[in-house]
Amino acid sequence: MFHFSRRIAALPAEVLGLGTQDATGAAMTTSEALKRYFEEHYEALCRFLRYSGAGEAVAEDLSQEAFLRLYDHLKKGRPAQNIRAWLFRVSYRLWIDRLREGKREAPAVDQAWELWSQVLRDPSPGAEQQLLARERSEWLRAALLRLSQVERQALHLRADGLQYREIPEVLGLGYWPVVEAVRRAVEI
């Protein structure tokens, strides 16, 4: 939170052009008025800057800088009629100056980056997906080796889409032995 000089903080708020009354109608000091404006507008300034392209940390820095400039502005005795608009204008100009100083492009907002990464997803599986697929394949191969020949054949035929009444005809077995072989294969 900001700490203002005692000389400025002791001045009545109306001298600096700030709101002169709190919710109860009592006169406010400059310090109380500045604190109120900070509490009312800080989050909105950060949100505005983030949607303008600033990252989270940059938005917070620029919002705080805007309030420091408000303090200096009022300290010099300059009037402040519409503080909300003044804060947004100053913070936006600070953002433009920051862009001019370093980079020509604004960094992508986190939500925009997530959207683009989903839309333009790399079709090849990542390292984690490849590892999981390899582990699944090894597990399946080991599980199939534990099955008997009849269970493996019945499971393959069922996986290929044959119905239970068709599999006994292919394997030359009865209906119930085939059902039992598929059941045991699935349980493994």
Side-chain angles (χ1 to χ4, degrees):
M1 191 56 60
F2 291 105
H3 298 290
F4 305 102
S5 73
R6 289 193 178 140
R7 188 174 60 86
I8 293 291
L11 292 173
E14 67 268 6
V15 171
L16 297 174
L18 300 172
T20 59
Q21 297 179 346
D22 62 7
T24 63
M28 292 174 45
T29 66
T30 303
S31 178
E32 292 168 340
L34 288 170
K35 183 178 177 182
R36 187 188 78 198
Y37 278 113
F38 182 83
E39 290 169 354
E40 289 176 0
H41 303 300
Y42 178 75
E43 288 298 321
L45 280 177
C46 285
R47 191 171 39 253
F48 169 72
L49 289 167
R50 282 193 307 269
Y51 289 129
S52 296
E56 183 75 27
V58 172
E60 289 175 2
D61 288 346
L62 295 178
S63 297
Q64 291 172 10
E65 179 65 27
F67 278 98
L68 289 173
R69 293 209 179 173
L70 173 63
Y71 173 74
D72 288 339
H73 178 79
L74 297 175
K75 185 177 176 181
K76 293 175 183 172
R78 296 182 182 150
Q81 279 75 28
N82 188 348
I83 291 181
R84 180 178 172 87
W86 188 92
L87 284 169
F88 277 86
R89 183 174 57 249
V90 168
S91 64
Y92 183 70
R93 288 181 180 167
L94 287 169
W95 169 236
I96 296 299
D97 290 345
R98 177 74 60 102
L99 290 176
R100 287 181 185 146
E101 285 173 3
K103 304 172 188 147
R104 285 298 198 193
E105 296 180 13
V109 179
D110 292 340
Q111 296 91 359
W113 177 252
E114 289 175 18
L115 173 70
W116 282 110
S117 66
Q118 290 173 2
V119 171
L120 302 174
R121 189 165 304 279
D122 185 8
S124 62
E128 185 177 351
Q129 286 84 13
Q130 289 176 347
L131 179 62
L132 289 173
R134 191 174 336 124
E135 287 178 357
R136 259 190 311 255
S137 177
E138 290 171 5
W139 179 87
L140 182 59
R141 188 173 301 120
L144 286 174
L145 291 175
R146 288 192 306 259
L147 298 176
S148 70
Q149 183 178 358
V150 172
E151 290 169 340
R152 267 196 310 269
Q153 289 174 335
L155 184 62
H156 281 292
L157 292 171
R158 183 70 183 123
D160 284 338
L162 272 70
Q163 295 180 358
Y164 282 109
R165 61 181 153 75
E166 298 172 322
I167 296 172
E169 294 174 16
V170 173
L171 295 179
L173 299 172
Y175 176 78
W176 289 110
V178 168
V179 170
E180 186 62 24
V182 171
R183 185 192 61 77
R184 282 191 311 263
V186 169
E187 285 179 353
I188 290 181

